Amino acid sequence: MMQEEVELLKIGFANRLYNMGLRIREFFSFIGTSWYIKLSLDFLLSYLFSSPYSIVMKEGPQTGISRDNLIYGETPLITMRDILKEAGVTKRDIFYDLGSGRGITVFLANLYFGIPAAGIEAVPTMADKSYKIKEKMGLKEAQFYQGDFLQADISLGTIFYIAGTTFDDETINKLKKKLSALKKGVKIITLSFPVESPYFKLIKKKKFKFSWGEAEVYFHERTKTPVIEL
Ligand SMILES: C[S@@+](CC[C@H](N)C(=O)[O-])C[C@H]1O[C@@H](n2cnc3c(N)ncnc32)[C@H](O)[C@@H]1O
C-alpha cells in the first residue's frame, strides 16, 4: 500500500474515533432527559432511506439558493448545548437558526433550554421533516418554516445561530444588512466567520467540536450605536 493511502486510512480511523467520542459524550449527557431517545429515534426513522446530505444535494438546486450555501454539515446536539451555554442563553430568549437543516439546534434550544425556538430552511423536505418531528413530539414552542431566511421575518428573535461556513459573500453581506435591523442586545452566533459590521460587537470567539473537527464560533451582540473600530 502506498504511503499516501496509509495516511488517508489513519486520518479516516482517527475521525471515526473522534466522532464516536462525541456520540458517547452526547449519549451520557442527554440519556437522563425525557426527550433524547425519542428525538434520536425520530431522526433515525425520518432519514432512514435518504440522508440529509443527499436530500439537500437533490432538492437544493431547485430552491434557487446558490451552490456554496447548500454544502451540508451539522452542529451536534452536545456542541449546540455548549455553544448556547457559552452565549449565556436565558429563559427570556427566543432562538432562531438561519438555515436549520435537520433542525438539531432548534430542538436542542427548545428541549434542553426550554426556550421558544424556530428554524428557517430552504430545502422543503428538510423543513417538512423537522415540522413533522416537532408535531409528533407535541412541541408547541418549536417552529419550522420553509423558505429563504433572507426573505423571512426574524424580528422576534433574540439569539441567532448561523452555521454558514460555506455561505457565499453575497449572502453574508445581505445577512449582515438584515441582522443590522434587529434590536439592541440581540445575540448573533456564527460558525467559522465573524460578522464584521459596525452594528455588532464581537464579544468572544471559541473553538467547539463538530463532526469534521474543531471550528471557531463567534459570539456577537447588537450594539445601540455603531461601534468605532480603531
Ligand atoms: C451547514 S447547514 C447547517 C444546518 C444547521 N444549522 C446545523 O447547524 O445543524 C446549512 C443549511 O442552510 C440551508 N440554507 C442555505 N441557504 C439558505 C437560505 N438562504 N435560506 C434558508 N436556508 C438556507 C441549507 O439548505 C442547509 O440545510
Side-chain angles (χ1 to χ4, degrees):
M1 208 181 284
M2 283 165 64
Q3 180 83 18
E4 226 171 85
E5 285 170 327
V6 174
E7 283 308 312
L8 280 177
L9 274 178
K10 274 192 202 161
I11 293 170
F13 183 67
N15 185 263
R16 280 195 178 187
L17 271 185
Y18 163 87
N19 271 299
M20 207 188 288
L22 261 182
R23 301 296 295 204
I24 291 171
R25 227 186 104 218
E26 178 175 296
F27 180 82
F28 285 108
S29 298
F30 297 125
I31 189 65
T33 66
S34 57
W35 51 266
Y36 177 66
I37 296 288
K38 171 111 191 54
L39 182 66
S40 304
L41 273 177
D42 281 347
F43 272 144
L44 184 76
L45 293 176
S46 298
Y47 292 91
L48 201 55
F49 300 111
S50 44
S51 75
Y53 302 88
S54 62
I55 295 172
V56 172
M57 275 214 355
K58 199 169 145 210
E59 270 182 39
Q62 293 151 37
T63 62
I65 305 287
S66 88
R67 254 180 188 285
D68 285 352
N69 298 2
L70 293 168
I71 297 169
Y72 195 72
E74 291 183 337
T75 306
L77 274 176
I78 186 82
T79 301
M80 201 59 213
R81 182 200 66 180
D82 294 347
I83 291 173
L84 285 179
K85 272 190 181 172
E86 188 71 36
V89 66
T90 73
K91 288 280 176 210
R92 292 183 305 280
D93 276 316
I94 300 176
F95 175 83
Y96 271 72
D97 184 348
L98 305 184
S100 49
R102 276 203 295 169
I104 294 174
T105 68
V106 176
F107 286 111
L108 187 278
N110 183 242
L111 290 163
Y112 186 84
F113 290 98
I115 58 171
I120 303 172
E121 171 56 49
V123 176
T125 299
M126 302 290 280
D128 192 48
K129 283 184 188 286
S130 304
Y131 187 83
K132 282 188 178 134
I133 294 176
K134 85 107 192 165
E135 284 285 287
K136 214 171 143 197
M137 291 184 80
L139 304 178
K140 301 250 178 305
E141 292 204 310
Q143 195 50 267
F144 291 94
Y145 302 99
Q146 188 267 314
D148 182 348
F149 52 61
L150 291 172
Q151 309 294 331
D153 177 4
I154 57 169
S155 56
L156 283 179
T158 65
I159 182 159
F160 292 84
Y161 181 63
I162 305 155
T165 310
T166 63
F167 286 2
D168 57 35
D169 290 347
E170 193 188 337
T171 304
I172 290 180
N173 287 333
K174 285 185 180 164
L175 255 177
K176 268 194 232 170
K177 221 169 158 193
K178 192 172 177 75
L179 297 171
S180 299
L182 296 169
K183 51 187 180 279
K184 186 194 167 200
V186 159
K187 291 173 177 151
I188 310 285
I189 306 167
T190 52
L191 170 61
S192 308
F193 69 95
V195 181
E196 279 152 359
S197 155
Y199 299 102
F200 288 95
K201 188 175 171 197
L202 179 65
I203 307 291
K204 58 187 154 186
K205 59 177 181 168
K206 197 174 167 184
K207 281 194 161 60
F208 288 88
K209 287 186 165 56
F210 292 82
S211 60
W212 57 91
E214 290 204 335
E216 204 86 65
V217 173
Y218 297 81
F219 299 82
H220 318 74
E221 203 170 295
R222 174 75 169 88
T223 50
K224 188 178 175 193
T225 43
V227 179
I228 299 167
E229 278 158 10
L230 297 173

